[in-house]
Amino acid sequence: MKKVLLLLLLLLVAGAGLAQEAGNERFVPFVSKLKAKADESRILITWCNPRNLLGAILLYRHTEEINQGNLAEAQRIARLDSDQESYEDTPREDKPYFYAVLIEEADTTIQQLFIPFRNKTSEGVRISIPPPPKSSATRITDIRAVVSDDSVRVYFATSNPEAELLLFRSSYPMSNTEDLLEAFAPIQLEAGTMSFIDYPIPGVETYYAVVGTEMFKLGKQVLVAGENTTAEGVVVPLEVPRVGLLPETGIGPEAGIGPEAEASQAPGGKPSAPSPAPAPASSVQSGRQGDEPSLATTPLPYLQLAEAAGSSLSLPVLREDLDPQTREAISRILASTAPVEAVHRAVEILPEDKDEPIAGESTGLYNILQEYLLVGEYTQAETKLLGFLNLRRSAYTEARVRFYLAQAYYFQGLYEEALLEFVLAQGQLYAPVQPWLQSCFRHIWEVE
């Protein structure tokens, strides 16, 4: 009996010691979901703070993945309040950078805990340095468009033959950036190109503009009528044997059609424009790419007018109703669930788009948000954002544009269209997109 009591006493003492030891353990706080995304000349760092955080946030940057061994070599770029969960870094060099976010507690103790994908990045991110002045100062002059049979030849001069150019086509005169965004998808011209053969729709008045690719990306292009954008439209006659499709034979200087031939073939035998000097074959670019038409220069580019030999058309599968047992089972499930009400949301602007950028493609996006989306002009915002996507963008910029385009659809009541755009954006913007997806599903559920 005494042995049993002694054993119980030892167990009680050991248990008290363990409890005391457990009570002395301290929770080490750290941030989570740390992400770094590069966009032109800046890097946006975002993270999630732990609850009831007391102290400060320390943000470190290094050219190597940060750990306890090289923390002393890393540069502390910011000390932030405990309620901040984002920071915009603007490094001067385009090196790959790694980041870590540590917590400095109230007693100035820095918790040096490094967890990949939680409070430190494992992949380097780098900015895109703006092009040198020579590239960004490309000037286009003496633009003119000449009709030749069923095509239009656009001539121009460039101050930098080594610079890549963009050609825009529109049914309206182009005088500012918004006009370019609403034009047809731009055509990338190779360096050294000084003329282009286009095949617009007959009977439709057409205007052209040529700008430097780098200048357009920086948002610094200036349109001047008669220099880099045509002041008057040109029209391909309706009588030509073509309706928006390319001819079967090649067109260009090597095909025997030059500026002199254009003047003689103009209506009434009179030249439609002053004949420029013949351009060398290397400086002429055509809407035809090899043996295939350019998708950017023809209407309905994916329309197939003829089928392959031996193929036949097949009707789509008819939509069938559910059988009675399935419908009854679904009704029972729905009857057992609480009614779902859609949550009405407000326009959400990402942290990196709240302040006006100095330059770059984000400038155009910022203007669209301020002038249309934030003031409730959702239809106009939709048009502007779709035009903004006409030019190839970085993956993160495209995700941001689709995030705002989805909101433009959402506030027009087009929840299915909004849902698709949110899904396309969630690869880069997972956390901001999730509440919107839930709201879209609830609205669609209510409608059905």
Side-chain angles (χ1 to χ4, degrees):
M1 186 66 180
K2 291 181 179 179
K3 291 183 179 180
V4 174
L5 293 175
L6 181 60
L7 182 59
L8 291 174
L9 181 61
L10 291 175
L11 290 174
L12 289 174
V13 172
L18 290 175
Q20 182 177 5
E21 182 180 354
N24 290 335
E25 289 183 354
R26 296 179 64 254
F27 171 72
V28 179
F30 59 90
V31 305
S32 59
K33 299 181 180 179
L34 177 63
K35 293 182 179 180
K37 294 182 181 293
D39 180 21
E40 299 173 353
S41 60
R42 58 185 180 176
I43 298 176
L44 178 68
I45 303 103
T46 59
W47 63 89
C48 293
N49 290 330
R51 294 182 180 179
N52 303 321
L53 174 62
L54 298 175
I57 299 293
L58 303 181
L59 180 59
Y60 292 86
R61 179 180 68 199
H62 199 358
T63 54
E64 301 176 357
E65 185 172 352
I66 302 175
N67 51 48
Q68 289 182 341
N70 61 10
L71 179 62
E73 303 171 2
Q75 179 183 2
R76 195 175 84 177
I77 58 176
R79 185 179 187 276
L80 308 172
D81 295 335
S82 58
D83 59 346
Q84 287 196 239
E85 294 185 324
S86 66
Y87 183 83
E88 189 176 285
D89 186 25
T90 54
R92 296 183 178 181
E93 301 182 20
D94 62 344
K95 299 178 181 178
Y97 289 107
F98 297 81
Y99 293 88
V101 176
L102 303 180
I103 292 178
E104 181 185 58
E105 298 192 88
D107 60 356
T108 69
T109 300
I110 300 177
Q111 297 297 339
Q112 298 186 21
L113 181 65
F114 299 90
I115 305 177
F117 309 107
R118 300 296 296 271
N119 67 344
K120 76 167 187 174
T121 60
S122 298
E123 294 183 2
V125 291
R126 63 195 307 168
I127 61 173
S128 300
I129 296 296
K134 179 181 178 181
S135 175
S136 62
T138 302
R139 183 183 177 190
I140 306 300
T141 55
D142 299 330
I143 188 171
R144 54 187 176 272
V146 180
V147 177
S148 175
D149 289 340
D150 63 344
S151 65
V152 174
R153 292 193 169 212
V154 184
Y155 296 92
F156 52 88
T158 173
S159 63
N160 183 8
E162 299 179 359
E164 293 184 347
L165 307 174
L166 290 174
L167 182 141
F168 293 83
R169 182 182 69 195
S170 176
S171 301
Y172 304 94
M174 291 172 279
S175 59
N176 52 49
T177 302
E178 292 185 357
D179 294 335
L180 295 180
L181 295 178
E182 293 179 0
F184 291 94
I187 302 168
Q188 182 75 56
L189 303 181
E190 298 176 358
T193 300
M194 298 180 66
S195 65
F196 184 84
I197 305 174
D198 189 31
Y199 300 88
I201 301 175
V204 177
E205 191 173 30
T206 307
Y207 295 81
Y208 294 90
V210 178
V211 299
T213 301
E214 298 297 343
M215 290 291 287
F216 183 74
K217 289 181 178 180
L218 293 173
K220 294 183 178 180
Q221 77 287 334
V222 177
L223 298 183
V224 180
E227 289 194 9
N228 58 356
T229 178
T230 54
E232 298 181 359
V234 293
V235 181
V236 172
L238 284 171
E239 294 78 13
V240 299
R242 174 175 68 84
V243 184
L245 298 177
L246 292 174
E248 294 182 0
T249 57
I251 286 186
E254 60 277 7
I257 300 181
E260 295 81 1
E262 294 170 2
S264 62
Q265 294 175 4
K270 297 180 180 181
S272 56
S275 299
S282 60
S283 66
V284 178
Q285 189 167 333
S286 171
R288 176 186 292 273
Q289 305 294 332
D291 294 330
E292 298 295 332
S294 169
L295 297 182
T297 60
T298 59
L300 302 178
Y302 298 106
L303 177 63
Q304 301 296 325
L305 301 180
E307 293 186 57
S311 62
S312 59
L313 293 174
S314 58
L315 295 175
V317 179
L318 297 178
R319 184 176 180 178
E320 298 182 0
D321 294 331
L322 298 174
D323 59 81
Q325 293 181 347
T326 303
R327 284 184 296 182
E328 183 180 353
I330 293 176
S331 299
R332 288 198 303 268
I333 294 174
L334 295 179
S336 62
T337 59
V340 178
E341 297 182 358
V343 178
H344 296 283
R345 301 181 59 82
V347 174
E348 180 181 355
I349 303 299
L350 299 171
E352 57 267 44
D353 294 319
K354 290 183 178 180
D355 298 326
E356 183 175 6
I358 299 176
E361 59 184 3
S362 295
T363 304
L365 178 59
Y366 175 84
N367 293 334
I368 294 174
L369 301 181
Q370 296 295 321
E371 296 176 14
Y372 300 101
L373 187 62
L374 285 173
V375 299
E377 298 289 343
Y378 304 122
T379 303
Q380 298 251 5
E382 172 194 345
T383 302
K384 300 294 182 181
L385 291 169
L386 286 172
F388 193 84
L389 287 173
N390 277 342
L391 189 66
R392 184 184 296 275
R393 307 289 180 180
S394 65
Y396 186 53
T397 299
E398 180 179 346
R400 287 157 50 206
V401 176
R402 294 196 180 279
F403 180 70
Y404 300 126
L405 177 60
Q407 295 186 51
Y409 285 135
Y410 178 93
F411 291 111
Q412 294 180 67
L414 305 174
Y415 301 115
E416 292 184 359
E417 289 83 352
L419 183 65
L420 175 61
E421 295 298 332
F422 281 128
V423 169
L424 293 175
Q426 72 172 345
Q428 298 282 336
L429 301 168
Y430 182 82
V433 161
Q434 298 312 304
W436 288 98
L437 289 178
Q438 296 178 14
S439 186
C440 286
F441 280 123
R442 289 174 178 174
H443 279 289
I444 294 173
W445 184 278
E446 281 187 352
V447 172
E448 295 182 352

